[in-house]
């Protein structure tokens, strides 16, 4: 069977780096096995799902280097779900229940007071046709539950029923269906909860591996039972640890925190995000990889820890800086055009400044400093002005190269007696207007003698 995985976001907001972790785990797994990647939008919540969010998710995935082989929407597959519902009802595995949320909460509290597990007692299953008709005549609307196979003969006498699988991330896993309530598959308004459409889609799209967050481990036991009830073999499962902030704070699409869109707008490189998302919480060091192909070589689902994958958002900037420091001009050239950086000096400029950038758009500032004027407010003190005039008078004639700066400051040191910070800082302030930045030896040839003399105090 061809390895086929899926990423199944709900289009109710912008995906964040934690969602990207799941998408990348699936994409890299498919890449390593020459498989297929399905993007499936879980958009059955019509009130909150938006096409603009779906479009943004596609754009974000493309930006990260993920290109789905197939894109599907659950809202367009209702007929498939209705067919599955009919089959489950015919088999007696889907039954109507009429309790309100308040009544269910009371029943849970009563069971807890009797030291019983707070699971649903299958009261709906016990209703006669006449009782159901009376409830509906009274205005009650049914929600429908899936009858779990956790009993021998009498469904009101549940027994321990282990569902086991070899998780490709966590190893051997077991869920006891006897400790769970029959899950609601259909709400009172007729809309579907996550479980049924997800299983039907996985069957129809021939999903071979379901890789998702470890908050779904218990769901997996229920879903395996549902796969079997629908006459299908279940896929293999893998549950990775969830990405959280260093303080343990969960990420949320609703708040927009660390969304891929906001990180992109902040100038973070896609491979900084991908490297952080994939390698955090694994046995690998979190280092910036320059391509998804390179990241795939380090990716191993089984190397993922069971504990939460905590990360410090500020570390994304460190990864970003490292990527830019190693980025060749060929990779940056087209992007630099957007900031007006081009021409015969562009490559030399990039190689000179890339080591001082946290984000690529910051190159525009340095291009302006080199080609137009220093930053304002250099803060040159009066006692340094005479020194700088002397220094600029000692500038050598062109042509200039990488060794020009060293030769120049040697003359200035000999003439003025200054050294160290007292020598270099006034020159840096005069040339750039800033007290830190790229090596002056690299900047001086870019300025040229005319450009340098224009900065003489």
């Amino acid at each position: 069977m061809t390895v086929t995985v899926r990423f199944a976001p709900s289009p109710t907001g912008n995906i964040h780096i934690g969602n990207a972790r799941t998408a990348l785990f699936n994409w890299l797994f498919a890449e390593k096995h020459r498989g297929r990647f399905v993007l499936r939008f879980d958009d059955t919540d019509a009130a909150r799902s938006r096409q603009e969010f779906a479009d943004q998710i596609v754009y974000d995935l493309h930006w990260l280097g993920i290109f789905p082989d197939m894109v599907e929407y659950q809202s367009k597959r209702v007929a498939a779900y209705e067919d599955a519902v009919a089959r489950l009802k015919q088999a007696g595995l889907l039954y109507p229940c009429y309790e309100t949320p308040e009544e269910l909460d009371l029943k849970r509290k009563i069971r807890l007071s009797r030291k019983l597990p707070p699971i649903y007692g299958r009261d709906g299953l016990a209703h006669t046709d006449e009782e159901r008709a009376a409830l509906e005549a009274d205005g009650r609307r049914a929600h429908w539950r899936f009858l779990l196979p956790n009993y021998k003969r009498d469904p009101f006498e549940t027994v321990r029923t282990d569902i086991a699988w070899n998780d490709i991330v966590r190893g051997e896993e077991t869920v006891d269906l006897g400790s769970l309530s029959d899950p609601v598959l259909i709400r009172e308004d007729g809309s579907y909860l996550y479980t049924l459409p997800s299983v039907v889609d996985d069957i129809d799209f021939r999903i071979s591996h379901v890789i998702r967050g470890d908050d779904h481990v218990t769901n997996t036991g229920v879903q395996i039972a549902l796969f079997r009830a629908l006459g299908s073999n279940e896929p293999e499962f893998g549950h990775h640890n969830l990405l959280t902030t260093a303080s343990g704070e969960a990420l949320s699409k609703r708040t927009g925190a660390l969304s891929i869109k906001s990180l992109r707008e902040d100038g973070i490189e896609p491979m900084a995000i991908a490297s952080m998302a994939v390698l955090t919480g694994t046995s690998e060091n979190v280092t910036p990889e320059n391509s998804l192909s390179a990241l795939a070589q380090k990716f191993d689902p089984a190397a993922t820890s069971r504990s939460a994958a905590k990360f410090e958002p500020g570390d994304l900037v460190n990864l970003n800086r490292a990527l830019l420091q190693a980025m060749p001009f060929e990779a940056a050239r087209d992007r630099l055009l957007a900031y007006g950086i081009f021409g015969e000096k562009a490559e030399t400029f990039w190689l000179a400044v890339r080591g001082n950038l946290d984000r690529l758009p910051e190159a525009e500032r340095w291009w302006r400093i080199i080609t137009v004027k220093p930053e304002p407010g250099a803060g040159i003190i009066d006692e340094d002005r005479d020194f700088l005039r002397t220094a600029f008078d000692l500038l050598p004639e062109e042509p200039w190269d990488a060794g020009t700066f060293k030769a120049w400051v040697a003359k200035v040191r000999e003439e003025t007696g200054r050294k160290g910070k007292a020598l270099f800082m006034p020159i840096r302030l005069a040339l750039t207007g800033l007290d830190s930045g790229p090596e002056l030896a690299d900047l001086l040839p870019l300025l040229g003698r005319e450009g340098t003399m224009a900065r003489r105090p």
Side-chain angles (χ1 to χ4, degrees), residues 139-296:
R140 298 272 185 139
R141 300 179 67 181
H143 57 270
W144 293 78
R145 291 180 182 265
F146 171 54
L147 182 63
L148 291 172
N150 54 9
Y151 59 93
K152 292 183 177 178
R153 293 183 178 82
D154 185 352
F156 296 99
E157 295 181 6
T158 59
V159 296
R160 182 178 181 89
T161 306
D162 288 339
I163 295 287
W165 70 94
N166 183 22
D167 196 287
I168 64 173
V169 176
R170 299 164 60 91
E172 291 298 323
E173 285 288 344
T174 302
V175 170
D176 172 23
L177 297 184
S179 66
L180 303 177
S181 295
D182 290 339
V184 177
L185 300 189
I186 308 174
R187 300 182 182 91
E188 287 84 351
D189 63 2
S191 62
Y192 296 102
L193 280 85
Y194 167 83
T195 308
L196 178 76
S198 179
V199 168
V200 172
D201 289 345
D202 288 343
I203 293 171
D204 289 353
F205 302 153
R206 298 179 181 273
I207 302 300
S208 64
H209 295 77
V210 173
I211 303 174
R212 56 191 179 181
D214 58 13
D215 53 335
H216 287 285
V217 169
T218 300
N219 297 346
T220 297
V222 171
Q223 290 183 335
I224 288 175
L226 189 52
F227 274 106
R228 295 172 181 176
L230 291 170
S232 175
N233 293 325
E234 64 271 14
E236 293 189 51
F237 288 90
H239 296 88
H240 63 75
N241 49 4
L242 298 181
L243 200 60
T244 71
T245 62
S247 62
E249 182 182 357
L251 307 180
S252 171
K253 284 193 299 184
R254 296 187 183 186
T255 64
L258 295 169
S259 71
I260 303 303
K261 181 175 183 287
S262 66
L263 291 172
R264 179 174 58 252
E265 291 172 348
D266 189 37
I268 303 299
E269 298 292 310
M271 283 311 303
I273 297 170
S275 299
M276 177 70 78
V278 171
L279 299 177
T280 300
T282 73
S283 58
E284 292 282 350
N285 293 326
V286 182
T287 55
E289 299 300 321
N290 60 15
S291 69
L292 289 184
S293 296
L295 190 58

Side-chain angles (χ1 to χ4, degrees), residues 269 323-324 326-351 353-354 357 360-361 363-364 367:
E269 298 292 310
L323 281 169
L324 294 176
M327 185 179 291
F329 176 67
E330 292 73 19
R333 176 171 44 206
D334 290 346
R335 296 171 61 190
L336 293 173
L337 286 172
Y339 303 103
I341 302 171
F342 60 91
E344 61 181 16
K345 291 184 178 181
E347 181 170 7
T348 304
F349 165 81
W350 172 249
L351 298 178
V353 305
R354 64 181 180 176
L357 304 178
L360 187 139
E364 181 180 18
W367 184 253

